[in-house]
Amino acid sequence: MVPLLLFLFGTALAGWTPPFALTQYHDFPDFEQYVIEVAKRNPSFVQLRDIGRTHEGRRLLGLKIGRPSAVPKPAVWIDGGNHAREWPAFHTAIYFIEQFVTRYGQSDRITDYINKLDIYIFPVLNPDGFIFSRTDTKDLIRQWRKNRAPANCTGFHSTTVRNVCCEGVDLNRNWDFSFKQTNYPFNNPCSDEFQGPFPFSEPETRAVRDYVTGRELSGRLHAYFSMHTHGQLWILPYNDHRKHYPEDYKDMERLAFRAAEALYQYRETKYRIGTAADMLGGPATGGATDWIKANTKTKYVFVLELPPDLSSWFAFQVRPHWLLPIAKETWLAVKVILEQTLEDHGLQSRA
């Protein structure tokens, strides 16, 4: 059977996606093949995007989901985060692709989103680290957070143990926002949160920066939604110190509360909303969403720390049977953001 025939006799048929079970964890090649196949089999409204290479030469792949338009359309970015150990976020991004593609032409709302918006989804922005985290069950490997940058030998374990060689950079500390070489632990190559030797030292962060500020997206990216684990935190900019907010913070906060309320309806998952600096009492410098909010015209910029909450210790990878419930409830929040984007541009979707 032909997988996709759009607008046959005036009726749009749903798109096609390959099997990707959200009842188990997948390896990176599964993600890579999935996005390639979705783009290949749905060319009328899905396009593959290859925005760069990692340290180890892997492609940073995502999808542009949107019907072609003669005029620029508002754009929404969704990613599965960039921390290697945060596997549920990557899988949740796949669920979103499933919803957009397989329900196009079947759901008025989904069809409106795709006809009126361009939706960019990048499930895995740190494939090197993700692959490494799945090579062993030892905590040092399984809980790996960073990319796989070559060893930096300026690390330290104490005031006396110096010049230690450690690999990797935290991609969510590598952006040029309040980046300071004197901030501990961000300045220690042996820390999970090592910010790197200088801003945008990593090919992965440069690739995302260049793409969101490049010709295709510059000036039309309206919402940026990045998923991580864990904590049930809805994080707004800015996070370099407490009580530091952009001028339109209240607009973002109102939308976050509405989206979190929609999410709550599924299984009563509660999110805390605010900046990480305010909620957790400590700074997080060099963040991607902070830089994007400060340096682009993007209106709504969010980090979502998926379940479980912070009372669960080291729950970066929930048991696989939780993957689908987490994806389904988060999808309800995403739709609120999409609806707001349509409203802001006078493109309200059908009821």
Side-chain angles (χ1 to χ4, degrees), residues 3 12 68 70 73-74 119 131 144 149 212 223 234 241 297 321 331 344 348:
K73 297 159 64 179
I119 302 156
I131 290 169
W144 189 259
V212 299
W234 198 297
H241 59 82
K297 296 180 180 179
H321 69 269
W331 170 244
D344 288 353
Q348 287 88 342

Side-chain angles (χ1 to χ4, degrees), residues 181-197:
Q181 285 292 309
T182 57
N183 283 351
Y184 178 83
F186 310 140
N187 63 349
N188 182 5
C190 296
S191 164
D192 269 353
E193 296 184 86
F194 177 50
Q195 63 185 352

Side-chain angles (χ1 to χ4, degrees), residues 90-158:
F90 309 153
H91 291 72
T92 298
I94 295 295
Y95 180 81
F96 297 165
I97 295 171
E98 291 275 323
Q99 295 304 300
F100 286 124
V101 175
T102 63
R103 296 176 65 190
Y104 182 63
Q106 307 300 302
S107 160
D108 284 348
R109 270 187 164 181
I110 301 303
T111 303
D112 257 7
Y113 296 153
I114 292 171
N115 287 345
K116 297 176 179 179
L117 303 173
D118 285 333
I119 302 156
Y120 293 79
I121 305 183
F122 287 79
V124 185
L125 292 175
N126 181 9
D128 294 351
F130 177 40
I131 290 169
F132 180 70
S133 75
R134 291 183 61 78
T135 60
D136 204 309
T137 58
K138 296 176 182 177
D139 280 348
L140 181 63
I141 296 176
R142 182 53 53 91
Q143 305 303 335
W144 189 259
R145 171 183 168 102
K146 300 181 285 185
N147 73 349
R148 294 298 294 163
N152 182 318
C153 295
T154 64
F156 52 93
H157 293 316
S158 67

Side-chain angles (χ1 to χ4, degrees), residues 16-18 32-42 48:
W16 177 91
T17 59
E32 187 174 45
Q33 189 60 36
Y34 178 89
V35 297
I36 291 171
E37 283 296 315
V38 170
K40 180 179 178 181
R41 302 293 287 273
N42 303 279
L48 187 70

